[in-house]
Amino acid sequence: MARLKHLAILGCTGSVGQSALAVVDQHTDKLGIVGLAAGSNVDRFSSQIVKYEPAVVSLGSRDALVELKRKGLPESIVAGCGDEGLIDVVTHPSVDLVLCASSGVTALSAVLAAIQAGKTIALANKEVLVMAGGLVMDLARRHSVSIIPVDSEHNAIHQCIDHRLPEEISQVTLTASGGPFREWTAERLETVTPMDALRHPTWSMGPKITVDSATLMNKGLEVIEAQWLFDMPPNKIDVVIHPQSVVHSLVELRDGSVIAQLGVTDMKLPIQYAFSYPDRWETTLPSLSLTQCGTLTFHEPNYERFPCLRLAYQAIRSGFGYPVVLNAANEVAVEAFLSERLPFRAIPAVIEDTLDAAVSNFVKSVDSLEEIRKL
């Protein structure tokens, strides 16, 4: 019998984290939990601790940790908070693989620590590579650590190019659902509310990433992520709108052949792939029925109505620390929109103004975690 693969999950109370734990439940003979980390959802986190009995846990703040201990925490469990707590979770000696499913920038230092500790990384956090792609991938190469993408699009590309030589790849194409507003006119977009933006037509995700999908910034961040994951220049990374979300991404080879990965729209599928790689495990998910899919359509993104994707390409081509500025400006703008302090159509305007200001101040390259935080 094969040895259990021991996991640490960052962001275990979020949608991806919960899907990951559902995969663990399906494969208890192959997967075990060593570490769990969450933000502030103490009630859900407490229930997960009781069920999975991790050796080490962490919460986002000291107040949340105090509340967790008040609910009752076994003395055998090492508990922490903040960056130090995350690092304790990912560097535990028994951990084989770290799933980074937390949102935002908080997990970056933990991911770097996990790589230095030789842990395999399953990455479901775009910001890590958007902010520090060069730093992360260089460290992974030096420590011979595998980074397996969990986002459905990058996971699909990973499956399509696995074991192929770089010179065989001509182009990668990321598919995008187009979000809830893909057919809305420019005038109608002026009326978008947070409630409208959070009604994604295909995926169930957290608020921030759902708004990013509505603006197409999500796809822009994925282009930046793909650049680092697959060592591809931006001119070889394309985006197409594919509303049915059946084809998760495509790879064109140098002989003109195009390989695509298709599957049901359930995050448990790419999560299981990341956990099982290089093996393939059976799943309880339904098989994809091509006859029930109906017509599959593909078309160009509308860069005028959804300029965030254009701004992401602009940030990539500018190089240096501009993707860091793009990501930070987007986080601030999305938060303002969700709290109804900023109109939907103003999100890309805020980002573009911030990038313009960065150009006038000249953003330098970022070669360390300290430089990233200064930006």
Side-chain angles (χ1 to χ4, degrees), residues 7-13 34-40 45 56-62 65 78-93 95 97-115 117 119 121 125 128 369 373:
L7 310 179
I9 299 179
L10 310 186
C12 59
T13 59
V34 171
L36 293 174
S40 58
F45 192 48
V56 56
V57 300
S58 181
L59 277 161
S61 69
R62 187 162 299 279
L65 180 59
V78 177
C81 62
D83 283 354
E84 290 185 5
L86 287 177
I87 291 171
D88 287 342
V89 168
V90 303
T91 59
H92 190 282
V95 169
L97 181 147
V98 174
L99 170 64
C100 180
S102 57
S103 61
V105 303
T106 55
L108 178 54
S109 58
V111 169
L112 295 174
I115 292 172
K119 314 298 187 183
I121 306 297
N125 176 306
V128 165
L369 187 56
R373 284 173 170 160

Side-chain angles (χ1 to χ4, degrees), residues 123-187:
L123 192 60
N125 176 306
K126 294 176 177 59
E127 290 86 354
V128 165
L129 291 184
V130 170
M131 295 184 304
L135 187 64
V136 170
M137 298 307 292
D138 180 63
L139 193 65
R141 280 188 290 269
R142 287 194 278 118
H143 288 270
S144 300
V145 164
S146 296
I147 296 183
I148 306 170
V150 172
D151 276 345
S152 62
E153 296 82 2
H154 301 96
N155 189 273
I157 293 170
H158 190 279
Q159 295 186 53
C160 290
I161 70 174
D162 191 27
H163 300 306
R164 297 188 184 277
L165 297 173
E167 57 267 27
E168 294 183 81
I169 312 300
S170 295
Q171 180 97 8
V172 300
T173 300
L174 302 169
T175 56
S177 69
F181 310 132
R182 58 179 174 256
E183 296 179 357
W184 286 33
T185 64
E187 292 75 22

Side-chain angles (χ1 to χ4, degrees), residues 280-296:
R280 294 271 186 171
W281 299 339
E282 290 185 5
T283 179
T284 57
L285 293 173
S287 299
L288 176 69
S289 171
L290 292 176
T291 57
Q292 293 179 11
C293 286
T295 303
L296 303 181

